[in-house]
């Protein structure tokens, strides 16, 4: 059964976006990522123009992250206070990132810098998460105490520095105490990179919360979804208002799948251990990295594409 | 009186010229006609392309070429190239002038075999003529232009908007040639007016032309959403957000009640 999409100006088999939405929603509920890195290229492969694919994807993420945030909130896995600090940082960082892109474009070769940043960040985050969660899974079978002690020693210098910062505040849900400046600065850092790369930044925000803010993995997933929800509300509105590239019909098809997928993902996520979740996310991030490296090195079948996309 | 004589002479001359011109045309050329059976394509929610039958009649023994085009316009596309000599990425954009959104050619024999190069050029029939007719900027030389034109053809053929060849069925009842061809109208073709031109060909030359129109228009919900996205962008954006947030909460509550999340 086919439906005609009024903004994408193309006809699509409705089972494709429904299935794709389900898959990406599942990842969203499991790992707290928006899934834009997966959804946008797959939509383009289905014949959706790249500009419409990116904008409609953010509309769909609004639905999936609302569904996911709601499911995680019901089981007490959303740290709203931390989420709001990260959002403030992310918003300021996003503004900065847009300026960085302007400078890069003026200097020429902006696309090269953007792509390389993307590949490097994905690669580093994926490899680090993979190795760390593998080591963590192994250590549970052996000398747990010794490794933990060693790790605590390693982080104590950074810990001391973080403790010395002003505006210390307790984040009850996450069970951590940080200076309010820490999530704002880290959120800002992710915001800059996300704006440069043109992505939501969920895959960066999750490791930042796990490794730098030391939050428990399940609270990280819920809080990340809460933060993604607001980022994508802003992006969707701007895309619809300035570029007219949000396809409402396509978004509805995708969100039917993704809202259900996010709920199922949350249920599965609660059955998995934190390390299992981390290693699965690391594998997905690494697969996406390899895919981008292939795209960059193999001759593309078409050398022309619609202007305005990623 | 003298004035009246001059008027009469002029009238006679005009009539003679008109008659001369008319009779100078081959008999068969006057018979050329073309029509599309489905000339108003309505794009609704369940639209997945259409089939258009183009048919007509020409003089007995004539060759026929049918060209279907959208009005020519300006298009900007991103081009991919190798950055730092190894990595494929966007390396700028190209501006294409006088490019039709859609370009279909159908003919009784290969256009190159029944038309002279001059006629192909004058009537923009075939990729060779279309390439020379178009302007591509920035291009350093003709070689580069030809390269990017062939990439444009690949891009357009990928979305089924360019189709350079296809046959025409002919039947020859007494004294004329009836022709017809079926076009798989692509769903990717945007709304607008398309021109079907039939060329009657004899001895390498176009001896007559006839035109018909095909209109593609959005209707119903497709038109409503397409118009709102452009004309009421803020409202459209807000509705998209409200529906997304509502759907997220709705599904969350259904799962919550059903115990799915617990």
């Amino acid at each position: 059964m086919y439906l005609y999409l009024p903004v994408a100006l193309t006809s699509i088999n409705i089972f494709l976006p429904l299935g794709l939405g389900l898959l990406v929603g599942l990842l969203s509920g499991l790992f707290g990522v928006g899934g834009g890195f997966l959804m946008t290229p797959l939509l383009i492969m289905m014949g959706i123009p790249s500009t419409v694919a990116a904008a409609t994807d953010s509309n769909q993420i609004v639905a999936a992250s609302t569904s996911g945030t709601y499911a995680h909130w019901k089981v007490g896995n959303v740290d709203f206070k931390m989420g709001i600090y990260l959002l403030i940082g992310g918003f300021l960082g996003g503004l900065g990132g847009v300026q960085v892109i302007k400078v890069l474009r003026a200097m020429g070769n902006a696309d090269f810098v953007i792509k390389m940043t993307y590949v490097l960040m994905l690669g580093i985050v994926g490899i680090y998460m993979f190795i760390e969660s593998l080591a963590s899974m192994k250590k549970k079978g052996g000398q747990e105490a010794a490794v933990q002690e060693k790790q605590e020693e390693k982080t104590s210098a950074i810990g001391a520095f973080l403790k010395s910062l002003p505006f210390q505040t307790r984040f009850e849900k996450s069970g951590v105490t940080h200076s309010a400046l820490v999530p704002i600065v880290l959120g800002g850092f992710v915001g800059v990179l996300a704006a440069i790369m043109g992505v939501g930044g969920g895959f960066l925000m999750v490791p930042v919360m796990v490794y730098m803010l030391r939050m428990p993995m399940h609270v990280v997933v819920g809080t990340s979804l809460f933060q993604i929800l607001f980022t994508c509300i802003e992006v969707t509105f701007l895309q619809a208002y300035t570029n007219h590239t949000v396809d409402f019909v396509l978004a509805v098809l995708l969100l039917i799948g993704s809202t259900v997928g996010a709920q199922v993902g949350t249920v599965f996520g609660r059955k998995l251990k934190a390390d299992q979740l981390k290693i699965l996310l690391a594998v997905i991030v690494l697969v996406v990295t390899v895919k981008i490296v292939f795209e960059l090195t193999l001759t593309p079948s078409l050398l022309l594409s619609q202007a305005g996309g990623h | 009186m003298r004035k009246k004589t001059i008027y009469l002479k002029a009238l006679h001359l005009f009539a003679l010229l008109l008659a001369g011109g008319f009779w100078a045309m081959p008999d068969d050329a006057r018979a050329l006609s073309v029509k599309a059976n489905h000339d108003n394509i309505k794009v609704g929610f369940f639209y997945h392309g259409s089939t258009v039958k183009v048919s007509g009649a020409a003089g007995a023994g004539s060759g026929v070429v049918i060209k279907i085009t959208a009005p020519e316009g300006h298009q900007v596309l991103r081009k991919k190239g190798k950055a730092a000599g190894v990595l494929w990425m966007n390396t700028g954009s190209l501006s294409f002038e006088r490019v039709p959104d859609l370009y279909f050619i159908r003919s009784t024999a290969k256009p190159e075999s029944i038309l002279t190069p001059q006629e192909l050029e004058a009537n923009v029939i075939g990729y060779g003529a279309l390439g020379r007719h178009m302007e591509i900027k920035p291009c350093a030389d003709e070689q580069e232009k030809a390269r990017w034109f062939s990439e444009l053809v690949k891009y357009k053929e990928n979305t089924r908007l360019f189709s350079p060849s296809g046959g025409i069925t002919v039947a020859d009842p007494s004294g004329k040639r009836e022709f017809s061809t079926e076009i798989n109208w692509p769903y990717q073709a945007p709304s607008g007016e398309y021109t079907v031109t039939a060329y009657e060909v004899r001895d390498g030359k176009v001896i007559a032309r006839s035109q018909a129109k095909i209109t593609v228009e959005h209707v119903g919900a497709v038109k409503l959403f397409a118009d709102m996205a452009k004309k009421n962008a803020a409202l459209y954006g807000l509705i998209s957000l409200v529906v997304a947030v509502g759907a997220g909460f709705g599904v969350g509550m259904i799962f919550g009640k059903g115990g799915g999340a617990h």
Side-chain angles (χ1 to χ4, degrees), chain B residues 65 67 69 72 98 103 105 111-135 142 145 149 199 201 204-206 209:
Chain B
V65 177
K67 181 172 85 173
T69 53
E72 293 175 354
R98 295 200 292 270
Y103 183 82
I105 296 288
E112 295 79 13
S113 67
I114 54 172
L115 282 167
T116 61
Q118 292 80 7
E119 289 284 354
L120 291 170
E121 210 75 11
N123 296 290
V124 196
I125 294 171
Y127 280 163
L130 184 64
R132 284 182 288 276
H133 175 72
M134 221 179 256
E135 241 182 87
E142 282 303 309
K145 185 186 167 190
F149 175 72
Y199 300 91
V201 177
K205 291 204 176 308
V206 170
R209 275 177 206 86

Side-chain angles (χ1 to χ4, degrees), chain B residues 91-168:
Chain B
T91 50
S93 59
L94 284 170
S95 169
F96 296 82
E97 305 292 340
R98 295 200 292 270
V99 52
D101 256 335
L102 179 135
Y103 183 82
F104 278 25
I105 296 288
R106 298 288 181 267
S107 52
T108 48
K110 275 179 81 173
E112 295 79 13
S113 67
I114 54 172
L115 282 167
T116 61
Q118 292 80 7
E119 289 284 354
L120 291 170
E121 210 75 11
N123 296 290
V124 196
I125 294 171
Y127 280 163
L130 184 64
R132 284 182 288 276
H133 175 72
M134 221 179 256
E135 241 182 87
I136 305 174
K137 287 179 194 165
C139 275
D141 50 33
E142 282 303 309
Q143 206 182 345
E144 195 186 348
K145 185 186 167 190
R147 183 176 155 240
W148 285 115
F149 175 72
S150 98
E151 288 300 328
L152 175 78
V153 166
K154 267 203 259 175
Y155 172 75
K156 292 280 192 182
E157 284 186 353
N158 191 48
T159 47
R160 306 193 303 136
L161 290 169
F162 274 24
S163 170
S165 59
I168 292 178

Side-chain angles (χ1 to χ4, degrees), chain B residues 51-81:
Chain B
T51 306
V52 176
K53 188 178 176 191
V54 175
S55 59
S62 294
V64 177
V65 177
I66 294 170
K67 181 172 85 173
I68 307 177
T69 53
E72 293 175 354
H74 161 89
Q75 195 166 5
V76 176
L77 295 172
R78 278 190 170 186
K79 62 172 182 175
K80 279 198 164 68

Side-chain angles (χ1 to χ4, degrees), chain A:
Chain A
M1 189 183 165
Y2 289 90
L3 268 192
Y4 188 79
L5 307 174
V7 174
L9 299 179
T10 191
S11 172
I12 194 166
N13 184 329
I14 63 165
F15 295 107
L16 286 173
L18 285 175
L20 182 59
L22 197 68
L23 172 76
V24 173
L26 198 72
L27 294 180
S28 189
L30 264 175
F31 307 117
V33 294
F37 61 86
L38 196 67
M39 177 78 91
T40 305
L42 286 174
L43 286 175
I44 295 169
M45 269 172 65
M46 288 178 194
I48 310 294
S50 52
T51 46
V52 180
T56 307
D57 187 22
S58 61
N59 190 187
Q60 171 281 132
I61 295 172
V62 170
S65 51
T66 303
S67 174
T69 305
Y70 182 78
H72 281 276
W73 168 73
K74 292 266 281 185
V75 290
N77 280 344
V78 183
D79 189 333
F80 287 104
K81 186 175 173 185
M82 183 68 89
I84 287 167
Y85 281 124
L86 287 168
L87 262 174
I88 295 169
F91 178 74
L92 296 174
L95 290 179
V98 171
Q99 296 308 314
V100 172
I101 291 180
K102 271 190 190 164
V103 173
L104 286 174
R105 291 218 191 282
M107 285 163 66
N109 240 351
D111 281 320
F112 184 77
V113 177
I114 291 166
K115 280 273 179 191
M116 291 321 289
T117 312
Y118 203 178
V119 171
L120 284 175
M121 287 314 297
L122 278 171
I124 291 167
V125 166
I127 291 169
Y128 181 80
M129 276 182 83
F130 188 82
I131 293 173
E132 192 276 338
S133 37
L134 199 66
S136 173
M137 279 162 97
K138 273 186 187 164
K139 100 187 163 190
K140 276 175 186 153
Q143 307 138 336
E144 193 172 331
V147 178
Q148 205 169 349
E149 212 170 273
K150 214 172 170 187
Q151 210 169 22
E152 270 169 19
E153 238 171 62
K154 217 166 72 180
T155 53
S156 61
I158 303 169
F161 169 72
L162 293 177
K163 289 265 180 317
S164 69
L165 291 170
F167 311 116
Q168 292 289 327
T169 177
R170 177 82 184 155
F171 296 92
E172 286 299 337
K173 268 271 152 39
S174 304
V176 293
T177 303
H178 286 295
S179 159
L181 294 174
V182 175
I184 291 175
V185 169
L186 290 175
F189 168 72
V190 172
V192 170
L193 288 175
I196 291 175
M197 293 183 279
V199 293
F203 75 93
L204 290 173
M205 194 57 98
V206 170
V208 160
M209 285 193 261
V210 173
Y211 299 114
M212 296 179 156
L213 297 172
R214 300 266 158 203
M215 290 163 64
M217 185 63 188
H218 288 95
V219 180
V220 164
V221 174
T223 311
S224 170
L225 285 174
F226 168 74
Q227 192 249 349
I228 286 170
L229 167 63
F230 284 91
T231 312
C232 284
I233 282 178
E234 185 200 355
V235 172
T236 302
F237 187 77
L238 288 177
Q239 291 276 25
Y241 188 67
T242 54
N243 297 330
H244 317 295
T245 43
V246 173
D247 194 305
F248 179 73
V249 177
L250 178 61
V252 167
L253 290 174
L254 291 170
L255 67 82
I256 290 171
S258 68
T259 47
V260 175
Q263 293 288 330
V264 177
T266 307
V267 175
F268 271 125
R270 290 181 60 226
K271 288 185 177 148
L272 291 173
K273 293 192 177 87
D275 289 331
Q276 290 170 322
L277 276 176
K278 278 191 269 177
I279 208 159
L280 275 173
L281 179 60
V283 169
I284 291 170
V285 168
L286 286 174
V287 167
V288 173
T289 314
V290 171
K291 182 191 147 271
I292 296 173
V293 169
F294 271 121
E295 272 175 8
L296 287 172
T297 48
L298 298 178
T299 309
S301 58
L302 293 174
L303 295 184
L304 292 172
S305 62
Q306 202 188 42
H310 289 301

